[in-house]
């Protein structure tokens, strides 16, 4: 539901009573598949584990909707109470075994990796959360659902608790099913920018073998990009792991693309003789028996246009570029061609012709739009995986808190990266960090956030998206209750340093989404 906010000034005191809302109805919770089958999940694992984990190591922090403009408000908007404040117990709901003066980082925190709308690997922060199936992860909604593709899910989504520079100490967990609030999927409402993901049992890699792409693909030339993409898709569907790409190359023998509608070409710098040859609109491809004209004849063709404009009339699919140059460069071309008492100089490779015009020195370069063919270059990756069990059996999950009072002391755990607006790089994103403070009501109109909570934090936005906000965190047991996830950061005082993180307020509707997600089983990959 959409809330109406009564705008107020900076709070003199924090609201003592909780915002409560009706839990989301199960039929309204969007349920989106990520990797629907075991084979699809194996392909995802192979993508991240293959090539010596290059995709994991080279992934960059997700930086979509990181910086937002937010402000503190007097209170959260009220609605009639239907669900009381409460918590879902964590895996650590037991008697404490000791105390510590230092902050002990939770094992439940980690990174989610995925391929974004730009087809590049990225990561966000995330938290393992308690559920009956011990398979649930919580993060920011836009770390699961793409803002660029009308809420399509991210591709190749996995969770790695305790990730550090290519190491997966407790395994890699492939996402099976994603859940979010109806208002976030349909309206992009920042008040509900959170997601829960049910993940398969974790896996570790025991062996990796690579073979060249099968001959029928590796040695095959595709005349169009569409044909190459279809072949690549066939490989991806039939093979557990595929590491490679489509490579364009100029067709042999060369053919000029004359049709302006044909975009599959490579504009190639060529020598003056070849350029002159292609001025014949009916010219076939160059062959050993069909030679290009001599340099003198080629330059004479060029000379016919000299002095008209810098845009010579050329045959479709060909062209020239004219650049004024220095006397030194002009003199660097030693070969001379004289036509009707006009001296031209030609570079050694024949790709540049120099002339003098109106006391200036000029260079002419030549190009043609050569037709492209395509081939697949890469490896078939054969990954041997072993099952390491359910997420909650390896990384005990945090509890869930909802409808809690704002103003509560809260820890935020995540992997901040990137710089502050002033260029200062305070975090690398390589290790888990924390911040601590009290929550307060906030709004962020740019992301339709009318009932958010904020916390003072120096976390930079890249990488910190999805960071877990833990309420009543027990330092000795390393457990608490997830009460929010970072969806953006703000510089509220205008000093070019981020000072505030913001999160949706977890209420009864959050509980409703969680309950649907928590009831979902995942199973094993292997």
């Amino acid at each position: 539901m959409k809330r109406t906010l009564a705008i107020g000034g900076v709070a003199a005191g924090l609201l003592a009573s909780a915002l409560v809302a009706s839990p989301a109805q199960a039929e309204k919770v969007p349920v989106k598949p990520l990797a629907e089958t075991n084979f699809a999940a194996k392909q995802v694992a192979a993508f991240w584990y293959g090539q010596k984990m290059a995709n994991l190591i080279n992934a960059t922090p997700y930086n979509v909707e990181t910086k937002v403009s937010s402000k503190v408000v007097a209170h959260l908007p009220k609605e009639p109470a239907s669900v009381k404040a409460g918590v879902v117990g964590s895996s650590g709901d037991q008697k404490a075994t000791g105390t510590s003066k230092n902050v002990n980082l939770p094992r439940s925190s980690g990174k989610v990796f995925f391929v974004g709308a730009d087809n590049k690997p990225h990561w966000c922060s995330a938290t393992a959360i308690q559920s009956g199936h011990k398979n649930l992860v919580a993060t920011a909604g836009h770390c699961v659902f793409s803002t660029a593709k009308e809420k399509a899910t991210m591709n190749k989504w996995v969770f790695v608790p305790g990730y550090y520079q290519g190491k997966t100490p407790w395994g890699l967990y492939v996402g099976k099913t994603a859940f979010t609030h109806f208002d976030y999927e349909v309206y992009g409402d920042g008040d509900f920018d959170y997601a829960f993901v049910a993940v398969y049992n974790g896996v570790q890699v025991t062996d990796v073998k690579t073979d060249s792409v099968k001959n029928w693909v590796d040695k095959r030339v595709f005349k169009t990009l569409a044909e190459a993409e279809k072949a690549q898709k066939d490989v991806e569907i039939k093979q557990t792991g595929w590491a490679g790409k489509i490579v364009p190359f100029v067709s042999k023998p060369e053919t000029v693309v004359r049709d302006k509608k044909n975009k599959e070409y490579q504009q190639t710098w060529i020598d003056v003789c070849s350029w002159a040859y292609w001025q014949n609109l009916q010219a076939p491809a160059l062959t050993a028996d069909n030679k290009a004209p001599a340099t003198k004849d080629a330059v004479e063709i060029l000379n016919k246009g000299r002095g008209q404009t810098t845009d010579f009339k050329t045959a479709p699919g060909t062209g020239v570029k004219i650049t004024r140059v220095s006397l030194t460069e002009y003199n660097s071309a030693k070969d001379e061609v004289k036509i009707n008492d006009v001296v031209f100089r030609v570079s050694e490779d024949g790709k540049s012709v120099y002339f003098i015009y109106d006391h200036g020195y000029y260079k002419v370069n030549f190009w043609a739009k050569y037709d492209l063919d395509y081939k697949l270059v890469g490896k078939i990756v054969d990954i041997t995986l072993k099952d390491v069990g359910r997420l909650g059996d390896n990384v005990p999950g945090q509890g869930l808190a909802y409808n809690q009072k704002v103003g509560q002391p809260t820890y935020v755990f995540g992997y901040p990266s990137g710089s502050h607006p002033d260029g200062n790089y305070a975090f690398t994103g390589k290790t888990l960090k924390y911040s601590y403070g009290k929550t307060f009501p906030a709004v962020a109109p740019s992301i339709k956030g009318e009932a958010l909570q904020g916390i003072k934090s120096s976390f930079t936005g890249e990488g910190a998206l999805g960071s877990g906000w833990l309420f009543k965190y027990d330092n000795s047991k390393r457990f608490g209750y997830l009460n929010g996830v970072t969806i953006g950061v703000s510089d509220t005082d205008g000093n070019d340093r981020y000072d505030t993180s913001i999160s949706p307020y977890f209420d009864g509707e959050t509980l409703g989404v969680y309950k649907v997600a928590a009831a979902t089983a995942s199973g094993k990959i292997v």
Side-chain angles (χ1 to χ4, degrees), residues 30-43:
V31 179
K32 298 292 183 179
L34 296 174
E36 294 187 78
T37 66
N38 284 33
F39 184 69
K42 289 178 183 177
Q43 289 180 313

Side-chain angles (χ1 to χ4, degrees), residues 421-457:
D422 65 1
N424 177 270
Y425 279 81
F427 304 100
T428 65
K430 293 181 179 180
T431 55
L432 183 64
K433 301 293 183 181
Y434 77 91
S435 61
Y436 176 80
K438 291 185 178 181
T439 58
F440 50 80
V443 296
S446 64
I447 57 171
K448 304 177 184 178
E450 299 176 352
L452 302 174
Q453 56 182 333
I455 193 169
K456 288 297 180 182
S457 171

Side-chain angles (χ1 to χ4, degrees), residues 49 110 163 199 366 455 480:
Y49 273 130
Y163 175 81
V199 296
F366 314 89
I455 193 169

Side-chain angles (χ1 to χ4, degrees), residues 70-129:
S70 68
K71 64 178 180 178
V72 180
V73 294
H75 55 77
L76 289 167
K78 289 185 179 180
E79 290 188 357
S82 60
V83 176
K84 295 181 179 180
V87 297
V88 175
S90 72
S91 301
D93 285 350
Q94 55 191 9
K95 186 176 179 180
T97 57
T99 60
S100 173
K101 293 182 179 179
N102 298 319
V103 174
N104 294 318
L105 301 177
R107 289 172 57 191
S108 59
S109 296
K111 291 183 178 182
V112 294
F113 293 86
F114 52 85
V115 174
D118 59 358
N119 292 318
K120 296 179 180 179
H122 299 287
W123 54 266
C124 288
S125 299
T127 306
I129 189 170

Side-chain angles (χ1 to χ4, degrees), residues 44 66 70 79 115 141 159 209 216 256 273 293 338 358 361 363 402 515-517 519:
V44 173
T66 55
S70 68
E79 290 188 357
V115 174
F159 175 59
K209 296 179 180 178
W216 71 270
V256 171
C273 298
K338 189 173 183 180
D358 195 21
Y361 301 95
K363 175 176 69 174
Y402 52 92
K515 285 183 175 180
V516 176

